[in-house]
Amino acid sequence: MTATLPAPSVVSALCPDDGYTLLRTPSRTVARLRGHFASVPADPYVPEGFRYKSIARVRLHRDRLVAGPHAGLHQSTDVNPTHGGYVRDYPAIPAGLLAELTGPVRLFHAAAGLAPGAEVLVQAQRISACAGPDGDAGQPAVEGFHQDDVDAVGILVVDRVNVRGGVSMLSTGPGVEEVAFAGLLEPGRMLVLDDRRLWHYTSSVRRVRAGVPAYRDVILFGWPSSRPPSS
């Protein structure tokens, strides 16, 4: 059963006026998450090769996460003209990584005001800035300013290695002229926003030193969980 969103706003308990809030995840949790990102597979829907992604859908059950049936990711063309309108199939986040996500999922639940048992979409995503010899830009948001066709979105930065850029922005409309927040999220910071009120975007990341790995790792959260219509 789909959870009922508490009125009046997804993030009303923490930030009723702005529609977003910034939280901090314990450093020990972030350190454990970092070790799992090297195995996140390449995203087949980004042929330029800079994005890596795996997904899962989870529910909180007492003190642990329970993974739901695996299915692809679906968004409408209204909110995602680049990848909307069809089901994108991604590998499931492995059990080892999911086991480290109980605390962050609980934090997202609380900030978004979700009902017990709500199913949350979780995405492990790496953006690499090593696509070219000069440190070509990796694009965290190929759609530009966008919404995810959900009610609540969470962005937890896990790591930034040898990159500049990657500024997170929120706007009250689908353009840069309406920016309401802009900031560089350091590892351990989680941004939770009301996707019905705000658009979000993250600027490109570029490699700082040549010949050295360069990437930005994040965990993304979404509710409802963007299941395909038939699943």
Side-chain angles (χ1 to χ4, degrees), residues 49-178:
F50 56 76
R51 190 162 79 180
Y52 300 76
K53 187 188 288 285
S54 56
I55 70 172
R57 291 175 175 86
V58 299
R59 300 177 190 270
L60 278 171
H61 181 70
R62 298 179 181 174
D63 293 329
R64 64 189 181 93
L65 290 184
V66 177
H70 190 65
L73 182 59
H74 180 268
Q75 293 174 305
S76 71
T77 54
D78 292 338
V79 300
N80 190 341
T82 305
H83 294 129
Y86 61 93
V87 177
R88 286 177 281 157
D89 291 316
Y90 292 106
I93 293 175
L97 176 53
L98 280 182
E100 305 294 351
L101 285 171
T102 302
V105 170
R106 187 180 291 118
L107 194 63
F108 175 71
H109 250 259
L114 301 188
E119 184 180 72
V120 174
L121 171 68
V122 181
Q123 305 178 64
Q125 180 170 290
R126 168 171 286 186
I127 300 296
S128 171
C130 298
D134 299 318
D136 291 350
Q139 300 176 42
V142 296
E143 313 91 340
F145 276 95
H146 65 283
Q147 293 174 302
D148 284 354
D149 203 18
V150 296
D151 288 356
V153 169
I155 304 164
L156 169 61
V157 176
V158 174
D159 212 356
R160 291 174 53 91
V161 173
N162 191 32
V163 293
R164 64 178 183 271
V167 175
S168 297
M169 304 181 206
L170 303 176
S171 68
T172 56
V176 68
E177 67 277 0
E178 299 165 297

